[in-house]
Amino acid sequence: MTDTTITPAPATANAADISGPDAAQKRLKNLSHRDFGTSAARQAAAIAWAGAEVGAELRDNTAALNTVNAALATIAGAATRQAEAAERAAAAAERNARFAQVQTMLAFYNTPTQMLPDGVAEQFKEQLGITSAPRRPVAAPVTPASTAPAVASSQHDEFS
């Protein structure tokens, strides 16, 4: 048996809160002791300090991961709020676009045809998505005095 004593851990507020470097220093001190090979107490202490070192590193890593987790949770919450705001903005943009189309159609139909150059009215109709429905041919009343044949229009614009 040896007469050397094992140095106790440094006094801290909580013995479980020993730092990894402190535990490593104690483990290395026990490993490098001249009686390590013959002292079961030194060997047990080295193993215990290795466990304390691993525990301290795990505690530090867990604290760091908790911090990262909190930051990621904050980022996820912000991303969720941003996605919800984007959905509301898209819905508002869709309503705004429909309202603008209705306003444009009203302006178009309130503009006299003679104020628009040739072909512009058709371009407006195309851009606004206004299609002309085919007109049903209407039979002209037959009168003996009528000499001109009735002409049926193939295009119908419900607003003309």
Side-chain angles (χ1 to χ4, degrees):
M1 287 235 174
T2 63
D3 58 353
T4 58
T5 59
I6 297 174
T7 312
T12 59
N14 184 354
D17 287 341
I18 189 164
S19 69
D22 288 340
Q25 182 182 12
K26 290 290 187 179
R27 179 179 54 83
L28 288 173
K29 184 176 180 184
N30 283 308
L31 287 173
S32 64
H33 195 274
R34 61 177 159 66
D35 294 332
F36 180 75
T38 58
S39 172
R42 291 274 176 198
Q43 292 171 4
I47 292 171
W49 283 116
E53 183 180 0
V54 170
E57 292 298 325
L58 287 174
R59 183 187 65 239
D60 293 345
N61 289 344
T62 302
L65 288 174
N66 285 338
T67 301
V68 169
N69 183 38
L72 289 175
T74 301
I75 291 169
T80 300
R81 290 188 300 277
Q82 192 174 24
E84 290 170 350
E87 285 179 356
R88 288 190 304 272
E94 180 66 28
R95 288 190 306 271
N96 192 25
R98 281 186 265 150
F99 183 65
Q101 183 178 17
V102 169
Q103 284 180 316
T104 305
M105 290 175 81
L106 287 172
F108 173 70
Y109 284 115
N110 285 323
T111 302
T113 307
Q114 53 275 30
M115 293 190 69
L116 299 172
D118 289 337
V120 172
E122 290 306 314
Q123 288 177 3
F124 278 150
K125 286 182 182 180
E126 183 180 324
Q127 292 298 318
L128 292 171
I130 301 169
T131 58
S132 299
R135 182 178 284 182
R136 293 187 194 135
V138 179
V142 179
T143 58
S146 174
T147 55
V151 178
S153 172
S154 63
Q155 296 294 319
H156 172 71
D157 181 2
E158 66 272 14
F159 294 101
S160 325

